[in-house]
Amino acid sequence: MNYNLENKTIIVTGANSGIGKAAAIQLATLGATVIMACRSMERGQKALEEVKEASQSEKVCLMQVDMSSQASIRLFADAFKAKFNKLDVLIHNAANFNHNLKSPELTEDRVEKVFATNHVGIVLLTHLLLDLLKQSSPSRIITVASKGLMTYPFLDIEFDNLNGERKFNMQHAYYHSKLAQVMYTYDLAEQLKGTGVTVNCVRVTNVAIPDERLTHLPKWQRNIYKLKRKMAITPERQAETYVYLAADPNLEKVTGGYWDENNKQVSSSKNSYNQATWHKLREVTEKLAGIN
């Protein structure tokens, strides 16, 4: 990848590990100013040093944001706009897939934590930074979903179960929130046509998870992940799709796409294309996020 990102300012949420960290390294190596937006400042600081060393770039900084907390997101957006006068790419990489969650937990905003982190917080952060993205156009928003959605071909948005009122398990909650992100991508892309801001979604495939991120799991689950790792791609390989969508000049006007790890557009589930559901999801999410 020989892109020149010298004058680009890029936010990567969840950049302290995995794909987010790999993307931060690749983007910084190409000359971008990279803001690593992380929940844990301790883990983020360690990752920041590693990203700077690997990319041989000092144009990398760490800022704190908890994507499950609307107050934290608002503070982050204010702090970012006070420090930077442009935003070329916003990459929504952070996500909650906490296997320890056996029952729904509500955030301080009274939203179920997985849906809050993986969808509502993303909508809020985009909303708060949208004026800056428009001023910086041509600019790009990148959301992240999962190839695992293919195992839920009939899943739809459960408006009566957003807080896990009827049923809850971690895997279902995660894929439900990721379906919401696919729909949000399509809907926002339509809304932003003509503004110079594009919106595209990455369909993340099976990516190897390092051992240090599995220590909290029981042994049987760690063994499953070790088996999956044999068929997985590296975080660095998947991060290349983030970089492609963030940097390739041929994509300047391409919007509303769903992209696999081979940088090819793919189809999502039938339900994900239902525009009536997009509009209802937008209305409900904006209410949950306190967007007027």
Side-chain angles (χ1 to χ4, degrees):
M1 294 183 293
N2 295 315
Y3 306 118
N4 183 351
L5 298 178
E6 283 293 335
N7 297 312
K8 302 297 184 182
T9 300
I10 302 176
I11 293 173
V12 184
T13 66
N16 61 287
S17 64
I19 307 168
K21 179 180 168 186
I25 291 170
Q26 292 174 21
L27 293 163
T29 300
L30 294 168
T33 296
V34 178
I35 295 83
M36 299 172 60
C38 303
R39 181 171 58 87
S40 167
M41 291 300 279
E42 181 181 355
R43 290 195 297 273
Q45 186 60 45
K46 182 175 182 292
L48 174 66
E49 294 165 6
E50 293 169 352
V51 170
K52 284 184 173 181
E53 182 178 358
S55 65
Q56 291 296 292
S57 173
E58 289 298 318
K59 297 194 308 185
V60 188
C61 71
L62 174 67
M63 295 181 68
Q64 186 171 30
V65 65
D66 180 347
M67 292 299 294
S68 72
S69 166
Q70 293 175 26
S72 177
I73 292 167
R74 291 180 184 276
L75 284 172
F76 170 82
D78 287 344
F80 178 84
K81 287 187 283 189
K83 188 171 183 179
F84 298 94
N85 60 11
K86 64 181 301 218
L87 176 58
D88 298 284
V89 186
L90 173 58
I91 302 178
H92 289 296
N93 171 73
N96 182 337
F97 199 166
N98 181 358
H99 290 279
N100 292 326
L101 279 179
K102 305 301 181 187
S103 58
E105 289 184 10
L106 298 187
T107 68
E108 63 204 19
D109 306 299
R110 309 303 296 169
V111 182
E112 188 276 312
K113 202 165 193 175
V114 177
F115 197 68
T117 305
N118 298 359
H119 179 64
V120 177
I122 288 168
V123 174
L124 177 59
L125 182 56
T126 303
H127 170 76
L128 295 172
L129 296 176
L130 194 53
D131 284 347
L132 192 54
L133 283 159
K134 289 177 179 177
Q135 291 169 24
S136 308
S137 66
S139 55
R140 309 181 188 195
I141 299 167
I142 299 169
T143 59
V144 176
S146 171
K147 191 173 183 179
L149 277 169
M150 294 177 71
T151 62
Y152 288 83
F154 305 110
L155 184 64
D156 209 345
I157 300 300
E158 300 172 354
F159 291 104
D160 62 343
N161 192 46
L162 296 183
N163 279 350
E165 301 95 327
R166 285 195 296 104
K167 61 181 178 181
F168 180 89
N169 69 67
M170 185 61 214
Q171 185 164 305
H172 177 272
Y174 177 78
Y175 288 119
H176 183 253
S177 67
K178 289 301 183 181
L179 174 63
Q181 276 296 282
V182 176
M183 291 187 178
Y184 172 62
T185 301
Y186 297 156
D187 186 29
L188 188 60
E190 286 293 321
Q191 293 179 65
L192 295 179
K193 280 186 175 177
T195 65
V197 183
T198 61
V199 194
N200 287 284
C201 186
V202 180
R203 188 188 75 176
V204 168
T205 190
N206 181 20
V207 174
I209 300 174
D211 286 335
E212 60 266 24
R213 292 182 59 193
L214 303 175
T215 54
H216 65 288
L217 298 178
K219 186 176 180 180
W220 68 269
Q221 279 192 323
R222 293 200 301 271
N223 288 337
I224 289 174
Y225 274 103
K226 286 176 182 177
L227 279 174
K228 286 179 69 177
R229 191 181 298 159
K230 293 178 180 178
M231 300 173 283
I233 66 172
T234 64
E236 290 75 17
R237 169 79 169 77
Q238 182 66 79
E240 290 175 4
T241 303
Y242 287 31
V243 175
Y244 171 69
L245 292 175
D248 196 290
N250 294 319
L251 299 181
E252 187 175 294
K253 296 181 181 179
V254 176
T255 192
Y258 192 39
W259 301 81
D260 71 8
E261 71 279 10
N262 298 311
N263 301 344
K264 303 295 183 185
Q265 288 202 55
V266 292
S267 297
S268 52
S269 67
K270 181 179 178 181
N271 287 338
S272 68
Y273 295 105
N274 188 321
Q275 294 192 22
T277 307
W278 301 354
H279 299 156
K280 184 175 180 180
L281 179 63
R282 185 201 315 166
E283 181 182 330
V284 169
T285 303
E286 288 180 352
K287 184 175 181 180
L288 290 173
I291 298 171
N292 298 323

